[in-house]
Amino acid sequence: MTNQLNQVLLHENNQVGSNLEAWLANGGGEGLQNALAAPEAIIKTIEDSNLRGMGGAGFPTYRKWQFVLAEKDAEVKYLICNGNEDEPGTFKDRLLLEKTPNQIIEGALITALATGVNHLILYINPHEEKAVEAARQAVAQWEAHPLFASVADSLGRPLTLRVFLSSGLYIGGEETAAISSVEGGFPFPKKKPPYPAQHGVHGQPTLINNVETLAHVTHIVKHGAEWYRNLGVGQASGTKIYSLSGDVLHPGVYELPMGTSLRDLVFEYGGGMLAGKEFKAVFTGGPSNTILTSEDLDVALDWDSVQERRSRLGTGAMIVISEGTGIVKRVTEYVDFFADSSCGQCPPCKIGTRQISKVLRKIDTGRGRRAELDHLVNLGKLLPGSGRCALVDGAVTVLNSSLDKFKSEYEAHLIDR
Amino acid sequence: MDHEPITIDVEGRSVTASPGRSIIEAVWEAGHVHVQGVGCLGGVCGSCRAIIRRADSTEVKMVLACETLIEAGMQVTFVPFLERLSDHPYQIDSFKDTWQLVSQVNQTFPEAAHCRHCGGCDSACPKGIKVERGVNLAVEGQLGAAGDIFETCIMCNLCSHICPEFIDPNHLGLLVRRVVPSLVVRPFNLMQRLNQLERGELYFDYEAPEASTEERD
Amino acid sequence: MTNGVPYETAWQNYQTGSSDPVQFDDSSKESLLKQFHPDYQTNTTTTLQIGANQGDVCQRQLAQVLQSNSLIDEVDLAGASIVDTDVLIIGGGGAGCAAALVATENDARVILTTKLRLGDCNTVMAEGGLQASVGVDDTPQQHFEDTLRAGYFKADRKLVSQMVMDGPDVVRWLIQLGMQFDQESEDPFASLSLKRAGGTSAPRILSFRDYTGLEMMRVLREAVTYRPGIEVWRSKPVVELLSNEFGHCAGAAVYDMRHRKLMLVRAHAVILATGGIGRMHLNAFPTSNHFGATGDGLVLAYRLGAKLRELDSFQYHPTGVSYPRHLAGSLVSEAARSAGATLLNGLGERFVDELQPRDVVAASIIRECEEGRGIDWDGQVGVWLDTPRLEQQRPGILQRFGSLRHLAHKCGHDPAEKPFLVYPTLHYQNGGVVIQRNGSTSVPGLFCAGEVTGGIHGRNRLMGNALLEIMSFGWRAGVAAAGLRHNAPHRRLTIEHVHKWQRELTLAGLPLDNHGPQLYPDYANFNLRAHIAGEI
Ligand SMILES: Cc1cc2nc3c(=O)[nH]c(=O)nc-3n(C[C@H](O)[C@H](O)[C@H](O)COP(=O)(O)OP(=O)(O)OC[C@H]3O[C@@H](n4cnc5c(N)ncnc54)[C@H](O)[C@@H]3O)c2cc1C
Ligand SMILES: Cc1cc2nc3c(=O)[nH]c(=O)nc-3n(C[C@H](O)[C@H](O)[C@H](O)COP(=O)(O)O)c2cc1C
Ligand code: SF4
Ligand code: SF4
């Protein structure tokens, strides 16, 4: 079973750091060659591969690309390679950037050929110093390489590639916040519409993709869509990087076939529960945290299967908790994280998340009543969609998911249960 | 006018009341206890702040529940008294040197200089005050202009709750309003009267004819 | 109230009517009051059967709560924690805040407990302003005489004289604390602007825009919050006073709404500053008062033995909003009438000289409505307050009234286009606890300040005197209460006065299951026992 681990993105041959020569020697660059040969075929290949965004939302990648491609008249288009990664439990992008920056850059260049973007920005969290350093070195090598010039020629427009340090704030990872940041301001999410694909950085069409998404692109274009699809288990396509943490023996980053079961991830790859504790639940990470329980252990960890359990795959973060861990307390911590991260533009977001946290704390400390629980349900219905960005929805999602799966635990805390 | 009862959702409770009721009246009419988060019932104390979403609307608004009428399907959650997240204590009589006023104000509210210009305070304010502008003017040292912006502030603290930099805008606004009279305003007629009183010049007659009942009849 | 002229008809009459001056017959003033003013109706009053005012006339609903049984009993005190302080202040309005600030200036430790939040009170709602004799053609003597005359010469002269002499000092103190007042120009040395209140001999009203109370309260609130030595408790109503072995006031039993438990505060001195009674809706009137104005202070003081006065005299402000219903009782400031706005009935006719004293104007409005000349708008009855014609006559005048425009906006109309529908609203408690010049009462250890007291306004209050009173007597009580801080601590902390009271209730054949103070208006559905038990 372990032979399915790290087959593609994290294959040891690919973990050559910023060394471009080593990357090319190990089979890198072939995807880009294919793309240069037939740029107009790329989007179809991506569509056939079923690749979806790895930054949390799971939006089909080719669709986003089509929107940006459609902006034919624009002289200048941007690509933001989103490596901001700052939420609890997700720690894959920093590793990819540090160990395999070349496949991300190659993916970005392929994206340029597919969509016509010509300013490529590696948007990286400054707290990840090693990732920043590796990316910088890789960029310098690519700029000097003939392949880079070939891409520019093919585009027929000036091509730039640079590292941009984000603010390091969680909100900076949101797509329009990243745009604000790149424009030189505080990472405030912007109102949508207009959408980035039409009106992004400095008003120009802008594509935002997670760095893992771009890494997949490199291999898809190299090996073809069918090869990629077959990597997945059952209906699922390709591989996924899972960030496993919490009460497991071996926390860490695991690239596995998309659709690997939760049980395998935790008990096979993760080495099982820490100190013989009993498995209770998993918080899936990303902008929208949801919960999977022991009843969901056999769920295939792919977009649709997880969704059927009214949860989300998110970024592939899996935070495992054992029996004895209080769900209400954990949810409070998450909601606090969202409340603190809220940028403040939208009153219902900042105040609503604080209020959820206040009511949760009341219940968690044994001062809550049925009315408080009803209140949480009400907040869960009232707040979604009230912000410019999805942050407030994220706080509500984790709340609703916990109410959905662990209502009885909430009730057990109530004074008037 | 339609007299069919209206049902709304208040913090998870279904509340049915007659049309034409404010949110607070509706909660009472439906028989619920609601005594915290009610203040003047006249729109000047800010204690009945609420977040509402109307049926079929994606817009979520901050309102005062004493002056917002119920509508079918409305969802309501009150914003209770939240502990303030930051604190900027000062004694007004510690502001003495007018030359140091601006820097002392800035030292008292150090976060004000970090305003991100997110505009959240402006959209939270139920009085339509240009809160962010007021904060920025205060930081620049335009204390009079800054204070004027906060003239109608009801100290509901919504802007303080929302501010991601913990500036406490309304408290800053109140400080800049307070320092001006405290240090600078010395009205002529008041000073004259106080001097007269100090010198004992005002004769007081308890038994003046105008002060007695007899005179009236 | 019978039905009046239907809205549509009345609106037509309004449009064709005029606000021409009319001659009013003044001779019938007394019979008008007798016939229509709520204070004068025999069915609205009764005689107190027990307590310090036994035999005195008292408004019926008020008598019922004054002669009520305590909300708590001995058993409730068991296990309650005891907190010590020098001065306990009950009530977070203007009077309570002034007392707290002054008490700490006099080295006392203060706990200020309030039913709602600090500043949720009547003070914050005051619009008109504050009387202080600072004008060049005015003297404290005139202020004294005007106050006595307005109160039908029933006020206590020594209280009034002290208050009017405090006036200028009060204003200085407020300015030093950082309160702004309207001045004649932008110049910081410019004289304070003065307005003349109805029935006074000189312009004497100081104000800040038309939200003087808001400006005052936000400054006081901030000063109190940040003043070391004052601990502010919110959502902690006092439910009973405590007495020592001599029957002196020794502290209070406070209900902690958040933790649903009682706490006892032992204090060298207690200052009651709980404000008025509007939310008792005496005689079924709407009110201009804040949510917490349920007369708690009167009940608490009376039960402990304090003497009260003028328990049958209340101010009904003539122009409270009548429509829409959810704003009923909200005040349209007297400034509108002072500026020349007239009152019109459903036939479009004027019926009173609008600048008469408040009781006369209020009684006239009630007469119009009872005799069927009011306007019936969807079940709400009232008369027109004609702001549109005022604006026509003096274009731009409404611009000066921010609160009025805001209220009209809430009512859903433009005051320059449509008149307000108004009806008298229960506004102020003229009487209250009998006090001396330093705020002390007939019960040692118990002080009172603000609207809860009586004697300053006689049977009718002059506009603007309440805001002065709360500052002046708040100070005085603060100083006197702080003066007791070196007394030996009370040895016993009891509710023995309650037991004595229960005996009196029983002997007088009064019900024991009628509990008070009310704490919150009935319609808010609160019940202390159920709340302690966690049932609500
Ligand atoms: C709409 C309106 C307009 C007015 N306009 C003017 C004006 O222009 N000029 C003027 O001079 N006067 C005016 N008045 C009158 C004046 O505002 C009040 O009489 C005065 O402010 C009362 O102050 P206070 O401190 O005594 O009481 P309040 O300010 O009412 O404060 C009483 C406090 O006690 C608290 N409390 C009550 N019961 C309890 C309890 N059991 N335990 C603990 N706390 C309790 C209350 O919650 C409140 O905080 C107006 C009044 C109203 C309602
Ligand atoms: C509050 C918030 C924070 C986010 N943070 C990140 C992040 O750190 N990295 C990331 O790739 N996407 C993040 N996203 C998702 C992005 O908005 C965007 O959907 C994503 O970068 C698109 O890339 P993809 O389609 O390749 O997934 C965040 C979204 C929200 C609402
Ligand atoms: S939803 Fe929250 S985080 Fe997003 S823009 Fe609005 S305030 Fe900022
Ligand atoms: S406290 Fe802030 S939000 Fe509230 S009225 Fe004042 S400025 Fe506006």
Side-chain angles (χ1 to χ4, degrees), chain A residues 73-93:
Chain A
D73 298 339
E75 279 297 301
V76 175
K77 297 190 209 177
Y78 292 86
L79 168 66
I80 297 178
C81 312
N82 196 344
N84 188 59
E85 196 178 63
D86 191 52
E87 75 244 15
T90 309
F91 38 84
K92 60 182 179 74
D93 295 343

Side-chain angles (χ1 to χ4, degrees), chain B residues 60-96:
Chain B
V60 175
K61 287 180 66 174
M62 318 283 316
V63 298
L64 295 179
C66 71
E67 51 186 51
T68 306
L69 295 183
I70 56 172
E71 290 168 32
M74 184 187 259
Q75 304 213 13
V76 182
T77 191
F78 291 106
V79 180
F81 183 92
L82 301 170
E83 297 300 339
R84 288 238 311 288
L85 296 155
S86 55
D87 204 12
H88 297 93
Y90 62 86
Q91 300 303 317
I92 197 71
D93 53 13
S94 70
F95 290 80
K96 294 200 176 82

Side-chain angles (χ1 to χ4, degrees), chain A residues 255-332:
Chain A
E255 184 194 6
L256 291 169
M258 186 71 99
T260 301
S261 76
L262 177 58
R263 185 185 302 279
D264 285 350
L265 176 64
V266 173
F267 291 95
E268 292 293 328
Y269 299 99
M273 298 298 291
L274 185 67
K277 291 179 188 171
E278 186 115 357
F279 175 91
K280 179 170 182 177
V282 159
F283 281 89
T284 67
S288 46
N289 285 260
T290 52
I291 299 179
L292 293 168
T293 69
S294 54
E295 286 173 14
D296 304 313
L297 271 173
D298 290 315
V299 70
L301 294 177
D302 62 62
W303 305 110
D304 298 331
S305 310
V306 174
Q307 185 112 35
E308 277 165 25
R309 306 285 175 119
R310 295 191 304 274
S311 284
R312 308 261 184 80
L313 187 57
T315 59
M318 300 284 151
I319 307 169
V320 179
I321 62 169
S322 52
E323 283 300 343
T325 310
I327 291 286
V328 185
K329 186 174 288 329
R330 275 305 175 94
V331 173
T332 314

Side-chain angles (χ1 to χ4, degrees), chain A residues 171 189 341-346 349-350 387-392:
Chain A
I171 191 63
S341 303
S342 164
C343 77
Q345 290 185 101
C346 319
C349 167
K350 192 87 188 174
R388 283 187 175 185
C389 81
L391 183 131
V392 57

